Amino acid sequence: MNSEERILRSFDEVCPHELRETFGTPLFVYSQSILEQQYAALARALHNVSATICYAMKANSNMSVLKVLKRIGSGFDIVSSGELQRLVKIEADMSKVVFSGVGKRDEEITLALQQGVKMLNVESIPELKKIDSVAKREGIVAPVSFRLNPDMTHEVHEHDVTGTRASKFGISPEFMSEFWEIVKKSQWLKLKGVSCHVGSGGADIEVYRNVFKEQLKVAGQFKELGAEISCIDLGGGFAANYGGSYTPIDLAKLGSLIESIAAGNEYEFIVEPGKFLVSEAGILLTEVLYVKNNGIRDIVIVDSGMNDLIRPPLYNAYHEIDLVLTESEKPREGTNFVDVVGPVCEGGCFFARNRELPEIKQGDLLAIKNAGAYCFAMASQYNGRRLPAEVLVHQGNSTLIRKRDSIEDLWRNELI
Ligand code: LLP
């Protein structure tokens, strides 16, 4: 490795050292420019298709991030009323919101109907019956889709698999007629679509091709039964660029695949990307507290841990790590194979193991890359650690978009 290779000097034209000065560490930093570029690249790849991008906001639900995406035309994929309430707060267009998830509660379905979301992606027969009863009680017709479980998957970490028969997601095709009978009998259900999502981080176009074809087949069968299917929700999962040996999605190929699927029919298509839109737009800045040697190699101990970014221990995920230098600092001479670990008292609290990095010293600033998706969103206060602050940067300007938790926030709802 060339020691220049893993060095970061600015992020969306902002100096990370200045961010450390102003906001402290650990600090999540999101680039508005990268967010917008990712959205634009996907929109371009789909420009020949009648398609709506519904950002899967579970990946990063900071309202400032949501507002950037809303402003450039994005819809949203939600999985709870908590997420829906965020969209109410930013005044999102509810006609571009789809509601997924296997465990929708009565009050969540109620709120979704009252807010007029585009479609509830139904994941089981009992859920369909529940939606029917809520819709009747509220006097609002529920637009629903059949979330297909196609028994197909990408080769991704087992926790990221959602499309196999054994998984808890979606409905197997053999339940189609039972599903349709319930819809047909009810004046409160309208079957609008077929949806699907087979997992997160998929780059294999052939898997997408097979899944999309299966969806079209199921949509055709529902139409034969008499349903007016107008919408095909293709799901998300498009692999972001995590660097290393990780394969990102080929957008051009994905675009032409969706174009070929769309040719000759009138469906509106929906995609639900999370990672692809926000992963690369984020970095986590963390300071090196100590460097110790365990007799095997150097252990770099930083002030952020699995409580802030849990993806490496949870999914064995790879995140590139850069040494942050100022514009004028010279690159370090050599490189070294090190472990980068956090302070949490678990062997699983690490960011990288045996990773070649430029020479690292106490007090250095490191940037954990691809920290925009499923990082802050999955952060916790484990080990009595405060949730970090979040900053949005754009062409040289920075804005604090979430304050660091205070000490009192650690026990705010406890009663003593
Ligand atoms: N649609 C549905 C119904 C989903 O369940 C998900 C993600 C998405 C869309 C967006 O998937 P994406 O485009 O972000 O891959 N925490 C894991 C990922 C969990 C994904 C859960 N569902 C990770 O960090 O790898």
Side-chain angles (χ1 to χ4, degrees), residues 278-312:
V278 295
S279 169
E280 279 174 79
I283 56 174
L284 170 60
L285 292 178
T286 180
E287 183 173 310
V288 176
L289 297 176
Y290 307 104
V291 181
K292 76 174 191 184
N293 191 285
N294 62 3
I296 301 169
R297 65 176 85 100
D298 278 354
I299 311 285
V300 174
I301 302 163
V302 297
D303 68 355
S304 176
M306 65 188 287
N307 53 301
D308 299 324
L309 194 159
I310 201 174
R311 300 191 72 258

Side-chain angles (χ1 to χ4, degrees), residues 132 180-188:
D132 184 28
W180 174 242
E181 285 309 311
I182 296 168
V183 172
K184 209 171 57 175
K185 283 202 196 97
S186 168
Q187 60 180 112
W188 300 107

Side-chain angles (χ1 to χ4, degrees), residues 116-383:
V117 303
K118 183 182 186 68
M119 194 160 81
L120 290 99
N121 294 346
V122 181
E123 308 236 10
S124 65
I125 300 283
E127 185 197 328
L128 181 67
K129 291 179 179 165
K130 180 68 170 177
I131 294 173
D132 184 28
S133 70
V134 175
K136 185 172 173 195
R137 188 187 70 213
E138 296 298 313
I140 305 171
V141 173
V144 297
S145 84
F146 178 90
R147 175 161 172 187
L148 172 69
N149 178 322
D151 197 16
M152 294 174 188
T153 186
H154 291 280
E155 279 186 28
V156 289
H157 189 276
E158 58 174 317
H159 298 341
D160 279 334
V161 170
T162 56
T164 58
R165 199 176 205 358
S167 95
K168 67 179 177 183
F169 298 96
I171 310 176
S172 294
E174 68 258 33
F175 294 100
M176 278 177 63
S177 44
E178 191 182 340
F179 191 95
W180 174 242
E181 285 309 311
I182 296 168
V183 172
K184 209 171 57 175
K185 283 202 196 97
S186 168
Q187 60 180 112
W188 300 107
L189 296 171
K190 168 124 181 67
L191 180 57
K192 275 184 64 175
V194 173
S195 55
C196 194
H197 171 78
V198 296
S200 188
D204 188 338
I205 292 294
E206 289 316 304
V207 173
Y208 286 112
R209 189 188 309 281
N210 292 334
V211 171
F212 298 168
K213 270 198 198 154
E214 195 61 21
Q215 276 188 268
L216 283 192
K217 192 173 112 194
V218 166
Q221 289 168 344
F222 270 125
K223 281 169 97 171
E224 277 168 26
L225 291 169
E228 290 167 36
I229 303 284
S230 58
C231 187
I232 305 282
D233 180 344
L234 301 168
F238 316 141
N241 190 0
Y242 281 83
S245 57
Y246 195 89
T247 315
I249 190 86
D250 181 329
L251 263 197
K253 283 192 182 152
L254 180 72
S256 19
L257 168 62
I258 296 180
E259 232 174 90
S260 71
I261 293 285
N265 58 57
E266 305 270 273
Y267 295 123
E268 177 200 352
F269 288 84
I270 291 177
V271 287
E272 302 171 352
K275 270 178 194 169
F276 177 83
L277 294 179
V278 295
S279 169
E280 279 174 79
I283 56 174
L284 170 60
L285 292 178
T286 180
E287 183 173 310
V288 176
L289 297 176
Y290 307 104
V291 181
K292 76 174 191 184
N293 191 285
N294 62 3
I296 301 169
R297 65 176 85 100
D298 278 354
I299 311 285
V300 174
I301 302 163
V302 297
D303 68 355
S304 176
M306 65 188 287
N307 53 301
D308 299 324
L309 194 159
I310 201 174
R311 300 191 72 258
L314 193 57
Y315 311 115
N316 205 14
Y318 175 86
H319 284 256
E320 281 183 343
I321 301 178
D322 285 2
L323 170 65
V324 181
L325 296 181
T326 59
E327 291 295 350
S328 56
E329 263 176 298
K330 283 212 185 78
R332 306 272 163 86
E333 287 290 308
T335 67
N336 196 4
F337 284 85
V338 299
D339 287 358
V340 180
V341 306
V344 170
C345 296
E346 292 223 18
C349 182
F350 69 92
F351 291 117
R353 287 187 165 142
N354 203 15
R355 179 79 59 87
E356 187 179 14
L357 290 179
E359 220 55 64
I360 308 272
K361 297 188 238 161
Q362 188 166 358
D364 277 343
L365 187 61
L366 301 184
I368 320 271
K369 312 276 281 289
N370 284 81
Y374 305 109
C375 293
F376 185 92
M378 296 175 74
S380 76
Q381 297 175 331
Y382 185 40
N383 271 212

